[in-house]
Amino acid sequence: AALNALESGVGSAYTDNFKLPHTQSFDAVALLQRDVPKASGDTEQIVIATKQGRLTDPAIRAKVLALLASTVKQPHVTTVGSPYTTTGAKQISSSGQIGFANVVFSIQASKVSAAAARAFVAKVTSASTNTLQFQVEGQIARAGNRDNSSSSLGIGFLAAAIVLFLVFGSML
C-alpha cells in the first residue's frame, strides 16, 4: 500500500521513446526529420461514419470538410488527407457510410503532451452529431483517451485483497 501511494505521488517515469542508432528505422526517421520535417511525425486516422445517407452527400460532405479544415489548424498537424480528393477516394467504403482521413503530425507521438493529445481527440470527437460520428485512431489518440489516474490500480489491489481474505480465510 505504501509503495502504491508512493508511485501515485511521484508518478511513473516510463516512456516508450527510445533510440537505436544505425538501425534502418532510426535512420529513416532521421532522414525524414532532416529532409522533410513536415512528414516525419506520426499519422493518425480520423474515422468517419454516418447512419443516414452517404459520406458523399453534400450536407455530410460539408460537415466533414469543415472538421478537416479545423483539424489542420491544430498544433503540430501538417496535413490532413481528405477522402474527397481523387487520391483519397479509396478512403470511403463501397457502402459510402464509413471513411477515414489521415492526419500527419510534424512530431512523433511520444513528443505530444497528454494535454495536446486530449485536446486533439476532443476537437475531433466533439464534431459528432446524431447522424455523423467522428473518432480518432492512432498513438496520439490512445494517449488522449488514456486515464492517467492510478486509482484503478489501488481499487484493483483492494478488491483482490478482499477476495483473498474471504476465500482463503486469511483475515481470521
Side-chain angles (χ1 to χ4, degrees):
L3 287 176
N4 189 25
L6 181 65
E7 189 274 332
S8 296
V10 175
S12 173
Y14 172 78
T15 180
D16 62 355
N17 184 17
F18 60 93
K19 296 178 181 176
L20 294 173
H22 309 298
T23 60
Q24 290 178 345
S25 61
F26 181 81
D27 292 343
V29 170
L31 182 65
L32 278 173
Q33 288 173 339
R34 187 186 73 214
D35 294 341
V36 193
K38 288 186 175 186
S40 66
D42 276 348
T43 301
E44 301 289 298
Q45 288 184 331
I46 297 177
V47 181
I48 311 153
T50 183
K51 295 177 185 176
Q52 300 171 349
R54 298 172 58 91
L55 294 179
T56 54
D57 293 346
I60 293 173
R61 181 182 175 135
K63 290 178 185 177
V64 172
L65 287 173
L67 173 69
L68 298 181
S70 67
T71 301
V72 80
K73 296 175 185 173
Q74 293 291 305
H76 307 295
V77 173
T78 58
T79 59
V80 177
S82 173
Y84 299 113
T85 62
T86 53
T87 56
K90 293 181 180 181
Q91 294 172 207
I92 297 177
S93 69
S94 59
S95 70
Q97 292 186 312
I98 299 173
F100 68 93
N102 289 322
V103 180
V104 180
F105 283 77
S106 61
I107 60 176
Q108 297 294 317
S110 60
K111 295 190 187 316
V112 176
S113 70
R118 283 192 296 273
F120 171 70
V121 171
K123 174 74 174 170
V124 172
T125 57
S126 67
S128 295
T129 64
N130 290 337
T131 58
L132 188 60
Q133 184 178 8
F134 297 100
Q135 291 294 327
V136 185
E137 176 57 37
Q139 289 182 337
I140 295 171
R142 282 189 289 280
N145 289 327
R146 187 177 301 137
D147 180 15
N148 291 329
S149 71
S150 60
S151 63
S152 59
L153 179 65
I155 292 170
F157 179 76
L158 183 62
I162 290 171
V163 168
L164 287 173
F165 288 146
L166 292 174
V167 171
F168 294 113
S170 299
M171 188 82 124
L172 298 174

